[in-house]
Amino acid sequence: MSMIPSFFGNRRSSIFDPFSLDVWDPLKDFPFPSPSFSRDENSAFVNTRIDWKETPEAHVFKADLPGLRKEEVKVQIEDDRVLQISGERNVEKEDKNDTWHRVERSSGKFSRRFRLPENTKMNQVKASMENGVLTVTVPKEEAVKKPEVKSIEISG
């Protein structure tokens, strides 16, 4: 649940999320170009929404990537526990005889990065893609049991 309500769509993220490495662009939901990113180069980046949920067994990331094949998407883990999901959606070839009335589908490169908690098994990450939805599962380490403390009565 978001700590800050979103006025521009149902975004379930928070600027206070310590694990998110996303660059916050306060103007990205307005219909004019943002000064921090060029819309032409990064329009797919702006529209790539990713859900992150934690279950008792794993951290699960789901990204809607309609129209992309798994060969066009990269999932990488960096040494410092950073999960990076990136890819590129190519621009459709234009025919000189075509008249475009509206272009709303985004194209270009996208990249999202998330810092994973320390309790993740970095060498067991799995990714799958089905019907345009990428699912990345990062298993969690077994919870470390705290040592049981037993009080000993002192005689005497």
Side-chain angles (χ1 to χ4, degrees):
M1 179 181 284
S2 176
M3 295 177 71
I4 298 175
S6 175
F7 298 105
F8 305 107
N10 185 17
R11 291 185 7 213
R12 289 178 283 179
S13 63
S14 168
I15 60 171
F16 300 110
D17 182 358
F19 300 116
S20 178
L21 297 177
D22 294 336
V23 178
W24 181 57
D25 183 2
L27 305 174
K28 76 177 183 178
D29 291 309
F30 288 100
F32 52 84
S34 167
S36 54
F37 292 110
S38 166
R39 285 280 218 210
D40 294 335
E41 293 179 10
N42 295 298
S43 59
F45 171 84
V46 172
N47 294 325
T48 304
R49 303 285 190 204
I50 298 178
D51 294 338
W52 176 3
K53 74 176 177 179
E54 182 176 355
T55 68
E57 299 82 28
H59 294 273
V60 181
F61 297 83
K62 289 197 176 212
D64 289 336
L65 302 171
L68 288 182
R69 297 184 321 271
K70 66 180 185 178
E71 296 80 22
E72 298 171 313
V73 179
K74 284 192 341 188
V75 178
Q76 298 172 309
I77 297 282
E78 297 175 8
D79 288 337
D80 52 350
R81 296 186 337 271
V82 174
L83 170 68
Q84 179 170 318
I85 300 171
S86 60
E88 184 170 3
R89 181 176 291 127
N90 295 320
V91 178
E92 193 172 315
K93 292 183 180 179
E94 292 187 31
D95 187 349
K96 299 284 184 198
N97 298 326
D98 291 343
T99 301
W100 289 85
H101 293 281
R102 184 176 296 267
V103 177
E104 293 183 344
R105 295 183 304 146
S106 59
S107 61
K109 294 180 181 181
F110 66 90
S111 179
R112 297 289 306 273
R113 295 166 50 96
F114 301 92
R115 182 168 307 281
L116 297 170
E118 290 185 21
N119 67 339
T120 56
K121 295 181 180 178
M122 303 300 286
N123 57 347
Q124 296 180 14
V125 176
K126 293 190 179 359
S128 65
M129 192 150 170
E130 186 174 334
N131 296 328
V133 178
L134 173 70
T135 302
V136 179
T137 304
V138 184
K140 292 167 47 176
E141 296 283 346
E142 316 291 318
V144 177
K145 278 191 167 182
K146 293 183 180 178
E148 187 177 316
V149 178
K150 183 178 178 183
S151 295
I152 308 295
E153 189 176 322
I154 301 173
S155 61

